[in-house]
Amino acid sequence: MTAPLEFGLDTFGDVTRDGTGKTLAHAQVIRNVVDEAVLADELGIDFIGLGEHHRADFAISSPETVLAAIASRTKRIHLGSAVTVLSSDDPIRVFQRFATLDALSNGRAEVILGRGSFTESFPLFGFDLRAYEALFEEKLDLFTALLSQQPVTWEGKLRPPLKDQLVYPPVESGRLKTWIGVGGSPQSVVRAAHYDLPLMLAIIGGDPARFAPYVDLYHRAFKEFGRPAQPIGVHSPGYVAETDEQAREELWPDYKAMRDRIGKERGWPPMGRDEFVNEAEHGSLYVGSPETVARKIAKTAKALGISRFQLKYSAGPLPHGRLMKSIELYGRKVVPMVREMMG
């Protein structure tokens, strides 16, 4: 019997505006994110993920700290990162922070490990960007060695070795749920299977079905390793309003502002309305009425055989009030509709 589809929400803590259009302080955005997560818990949503960034347009640089605050005000929702930039962090400290979060939340902590799509953390924490791949590979190897919660003897090239080292606090539930976040690299897909970890696909543009070869590769890799495959999830941006027209009109200016700001840094041309509409109708932007968004999620879930769908509900400086309404519609209307469509 196939496990029911789980539903999550993601945010990077995008710096937003108040009702008058004034940009909010980072501190207020963080407090608002806690309120958004509390609402998600009340609605029965399964997971809330917070991204790690170190730049002016995103308020959250320490997801575990914010998640700990959320843990104190929620009962059932699972709490995780989206993603933790392991390459520029210490694997032992990451494990300790999430083990602590797991204790505070009575076993609800998860971590999604990735390399991140931004590079600000490398110079900030004194890491050489030229070692981008090597840092992630070695640190992931050490992190996965910690998951068994046995004395670790480990040796790499970038840090001193460990001998019979235990790491505290232990995870009370026995094993910290750990995902690998992947943006479209076959090597990353195989790496996740090699370490026997669930796969979280970050699909932020184009037809989601184009990721089917990665799903197939993931399953084939597990077959070759002689193990049953782990779950697969999808993370994509979106926004829900009462009607398709309202959702598009409310999201468009703020989504464009966010997309153009990042695009300018990366040499992309400004986003046109036609590109936005194409992503909404045929791509990986889940924007529209509850029924429209539900149909699109169900289509993606069936095409890729996923176990979890995570909607990145914040995209640009959308006001907190609108985000709360979008979360409410997602929890009260979209989730039940998708469950009914999935049978």
Side-chain angles (χ1 to χ4, degrees):
M1 183 177 178
T2 303
L5 181 66
E6 294 180 343
F7 296 88
L9 290 167
D10 289 340
T11 179
F12 297 164
D14 301 61
V15 173
T16 54
R17 304 185 308 269
D18 64 15
T20 67
K22 181 182 177 181
T23 299
L24 295 177
H26 288 71
Q28 185 59 55
V29 173
I30 290 171
R31 290 189 288 268
N32 287 347
V33 166
V34 174
D35 289 340
E36 290 155 13
V38 169
L39 175 60
D41 183 60
E42 293 170 351
L43 294 168
I45 292 167
D46 299 300
F47 176 84
I48 181 76
L50 307 185
E52 173 199 345
H53 294 85
H54 306 273
R55 44 187 289 135
D57 44 351
F58 300 122
I60 299 173
S61 61
S62 178
E64 307 92 327
T65 307
V66 184
L67 291 167
I70 294 169
S72 71
R73 292 183 54 192
T74 56
K75 300 295 184 184
R76 59 171 301 280
I77 194 167
H78 279 231
L79 314 165
S81 56
V83 299
T84 294
V85 185
L86 188 63
S87 309
S88 57
D89 211 327
D90 183 282
I92 295 175
R93 293 296 288 144
V94 172
F95 183 88
Q96 289 176 322
R97 295 196 299 265
F98 277 91
T100 302
L101 175 64
D102 196 70
L104 291 170
S105 64
N106 291 306
R108 292 185 281 138
E110 301 183 12
V111 58
I112 303 176
L113 302 174
R115 291 173 293 183
S117 61
F118 296 89
T119 60
E120 289 84 359
S121 62
F122 286 81
L124 182 63
F125 298 121
F127 291 99
D128 189 343
L129 193 56
R130 292 172 296 182
Y132 185 82
E133 280 286 345
L135 284 165
F136 184 73
E137 290 178 4
E138 181 166 303
K139 291 183 178 190
L140 178 61
D141 189 65
L142 174 53
F143 189 92
T144 55
L146 303 175
L147 292 176
S148 64
Q149 304 199 105
Q150 300 296 319
V152 172
T153 297
W154 178 93
E155 185 171 352
K157 297 179 179 179
L158 303 176
R159 59 161 292 156
L162 300 173
K163 183 173 176 59
D164 295 329
Q165 181 70 56
L166 278 168
V167 175
Y168 300 98
V171 176
E172 188 176 36
S173 59
R175 185 178 175 90
L176 176 66
K177 186 165 187 178
T178 303
W179 302 70
I180 295 291
V182 175
S185 161
Q187 293 83 0
S188 296
V189 171
V190 174
R191 183 187 292 125
H194 169 74
Y195 286 110
D196 198 21
L197 297 176
L199 183 71
M200 182 59 65
L201 296 170
I203 306 180
I204 58 174
D207 185 352
R210 68 191 175 90
F211 276 74
Y214 294 105
V215 172
D216 181 61
L217 175 62
Y218 185 65
H219 286 289
R220 285 191 285 112
F222 269 102
K223 188 173 182 180
E224 291 184 13
F225 293 136
R227 298 191 298 264
Q230 292 282 358
I232 298 173
V234 163
H235 147 105
S236 291
Y239 179 75
V240 191
E242 293 290 353
T243 66
D244 289 350
E245 182 181 9
Q246 180 186 352
R248 292 186 185 187
E249 290 307 311
E250 289 181 354
L251 180 63
W252 160 243
D254 295 304
Y255 190 85
K256 175 178 170 56
M258 178 269 299
R259 168 65 167 70
D260 288 354
R261 182 175 60 249
I262 295 171
K264 186 177 181 181
E265 298 171 4
R266 302 183 180 185
W268 302 340
M271 186 180 212
R273 184 63 185 246
D274 288 348
E275 182 184 351
F276 174 79
V277 171
N278 186 65
E279 278 296 325
E281 294 181 352
H282 308 292
S284 299
L285 184 56
Y286 294 73
V287 56
S289 68
E291 184 177 359
T292 294
V293 174
R295 282 200 310 267
K296 196 165 187 177
I297 292 173
K299 182 179 178 181
T300 297
K302 291 174 181 177
L304 300 179
I306 60 175
S307 300
R308 179 186 290 174
F309 180 86
Q310 296 179 191
L311 184 78
K312 183 183 179 294
Y313 68 90
S314 61
L318 274 162
H320 170 60
R322 287 186 178 178
L323 294 180
M324 291 287 274
K325 182 61 176 179
S326 180
I327 291 169
E328 183 175 3
L329 289 171
Y330 180 71
R332 294 195 188 282
K333 295 187 176 183
V334 173
V335 170
M337 286 181 183
V338 177
R339 286 181 174 147
E340 184 176 352
M341 292 173 186
M342 298 294 291

